[in-house]
Each structure stands twice: as C-alpha cells, then as structure tokens.
Amino acid sequence: YDAGSEVYELTSPEGDVYIMQSYAQIVDPTLTADALPGLGSRLDLPQGWTYSSRVLEEPIVLNVDEPIEVLQDDLQNTYSKLSDGEVDDSTEIVEIEIASGPYTFTARTAGPESGELVLLLHGFPQTSFAWRSQLQALGEAGYYAVAPDLRGVSEGARPLGVEDYDLELHIADVLGYADALERETFHLVGHDVGATVAWAVAAQAPERLSSLTVLSVPHPDALAEAQRDTTSCQYEASAYFETLSIQNSEDALLANDAAGLEAIYAGLQEEAIDECKAALGNKEALGAAINFYRANTEGGVLFGGSEPLGSIAVDTLYIYGDSDPVLCPEPAEATADLVSGNYRFEVLEGVDHWIPDRVPEIVKAMLLEHLDDNSEGEHVDTGVDDALILTTADGVEFVRTPDEYFDSL
C-alpha cells in the first residue's frame, strides 16, 4: 500500500484491523477469503465493528511469505488483516500514587495533566488494569484519565475492619482523589462496584461532576427494588451478594489454586486474568475487596439498610449488556426514571458483564462522545466519527459523512 493512497479499514470489537485499498484490491489468488457471517457492507456492519478511511502517510507492506488472514464482505470487497487487537502504546500509561485521607492509592493514568480529569473506577474482582484501553483513548483525546485501585485493592488503602468499607468512605475516597489532583470538577466513570460508587457520588456531590458514565450496574435504588421482589429475575441473580457477605467467603474462591476466582474471569484475556490474580489471589487482598459487599449488603439487598440515593441530576450515560448473568433488564430499564439530568441508555446485544474488556472499541466511542458533549474544552478528534472532507484552493472545507455519500449513489 503506497504512501498517499486511500485505504479503508474495518476494526473488530477486539481491535483487529483489516485493510482494503480503494474499491478493489489485488491479493494472492491462492488465499482463501473467509466471509465473516453477517459482515454485510461497510455501511451495514455487525455491532462492535467500525469502518474508517484514511490516506497513508507511510507505505504499508504485508509479509506475503506468511499466510495472510482475509475477510470478504457481501459486496465481495476483500480486506487483509493488518494487525491484531492491541493496546496502542502511543499514549503511555503511567503508574502513580494518590493520597486520599489517611490512605495511599495506586493508580494508572494517561494523557496530559492539564487535560480535564476523568476518574475511572473498576469493579470486583478487578483492578485499574480493567480500564487500560479506555485510558489510552482518553489520553490520546487530551483528557487526563486516572484509574485508581480502589479501597481494599490498593495495598496502602486496606483497613482491617468491615465497617471501613462503608459506601460513605468510598464516596470520600473518590472526592479525595479529585482533591489530591487539585480538581474541583471531573468526569466520573464506573463499572460494577465502581459503578455503584459512581452513582452514589453523583447523588451526594452532583456539583463536582461534569458527567457520569456507568457500565453494567443500574441505579442502586432500582437494583434494590428488584432485589426485594421475589418474582424478579434480579432476586435470584443477586443471590451471590449474600454468599460473598459470609465471613471468610474468600477462602472458597481461593481454594484449589484459586479455581473459583478464575471461574469468575472466564473468557477474559489471559493478561487481564493474570493481573487480577496477582493483585487479589491472596486472602488479605481478596477479603478486603469483598468487604464492600459485607459492609453494604443487608438481607441480600445492596444498601438494604440505607436511605435511597434519589434522582441523579448529572448528565448520565448508562451502558448495559443484555447478556449480563448477574444484572437483569428490569432494574436497568427502570433507571431512566431515576435520572433527572440528560440521560442516554445504551444496550449492547450479546454482551455480558465485563463490558470494558469485551467491547473496548464500543466503550471508547460512546465514552468519548459523552465526555465531549459535557466538556469545557476542545479535544482531539480520534477518528470515532468518520467524514469525507473536500478543501478548495482557498481553504474552504466541505464535509459529508460516508453514509450521506453512499446513500446518494
């Protein structure tokens, strides 16, 4: 592929990139193009696949001495695999420590410190590593993205008492992160336990948040109502809350070389599993992480003994996977009634609980769009939205999207 030539790229949900030059491509006739089921045309892609075009600044050479994986769409366009899905190293992820209250939290960061702050809270049983793809994308877009290891996961923030994991203390931790980073306002993102804490921060300190993004977990009031309803799918799906709340429940997960813990991670990338087991594969760390459930679950209901959080005034993006085995559609759908700010609800078909790991490209696109809509400054266009631009000799630009172009043919 020569420098200066236009190429079209398809990116899979896992980040694999396939490339085609212009409207036709010569490939080795001995290669077999396996059609991807449901690929359709570049304008009718399965969920999670993205299409873009660009002009090459440098030539690309594929090694034809080795087999090249190719795809064909319904229009018989042939795409050669350019690269496997990998985290882009162009924006470095840096590990730092944050002092909040009497504790020190480890964190992963990306992007310029001058950028708007985005705090990303991980879930159970994970670490800040879960946000690796999103950290890269946010950093490249000019945000200062910070993913702390939460209370119980950070070695420097692992108190012994169950009462030390009360929701109020997690809220104080988050506000303490922002204070330590000298930010009055910030964007907040959370998944699983991190999502639950994020909802609570938005309820108690809406003036501190520029935006809220939650993955998987519905508004806690909607979740609690469903957990109390014995006819609800959620009543059975949340049974593990009580199991985790039992004293020394971590022992069962760690038995047989942590077989129970590893079963929770089934299907995640091996590097992600290794990271989680290294951080939480011992009684002290895993027990501390589970203390969130022990401190905040009553009668099998999360925050069952607490006052409702009430309506959320912060502009909110809620991303839910409809194949989540532990969170049912009823409370997810009911969440709309508990957000008074601008609200966007995205349902990902066929996606389970581990949304940041399963579909990082989708999360990045939705997250960047939501943040930019609630941003104070300008940020780098990362190519999430594709467009065709014509520039005249006088420097006047005309723009239209590929959909408009192809629909006019």
Side-chain angles (χ1 to χ4, degrees), residues 179-203:
D179 292 342
L181 296 169
E182 300 181 342
R183 304 303 174 90
E184 182 61 30
T185 60
F186 56 96
H187 301 274
L188 186 58
V189 183
H191 173 247
D192 190 80
V193 164
T196 304
V197 174
W199 281 117
V201 173

Side-chain angles (χ1 to χ4, degrees), residues 21 51 78 107 129-130 133 139 148 150 161 217 233 236 245 247 287 319 365 387 395:
Q21 185 167 344
Y51 161 78
T78 302
F129 187 77
S133 294
L150 301 186
V217 179
C233 155
E236 292 294 334
S245 298
Q247 187 175 4
I319 305 174

Side-chain angles (χ1 to χ4, degrees), residues 190-215:
H191 173 247
D192 190 80
V193 164
T196 304
V197 174
W199 281 117
V201 173
Q204 288 202 12
E207 72 284 356
R208 299 291 303 268
L209 299 190
S210 301
S211 73
L212 174 67
T213 302
V214 286
L215 284 70

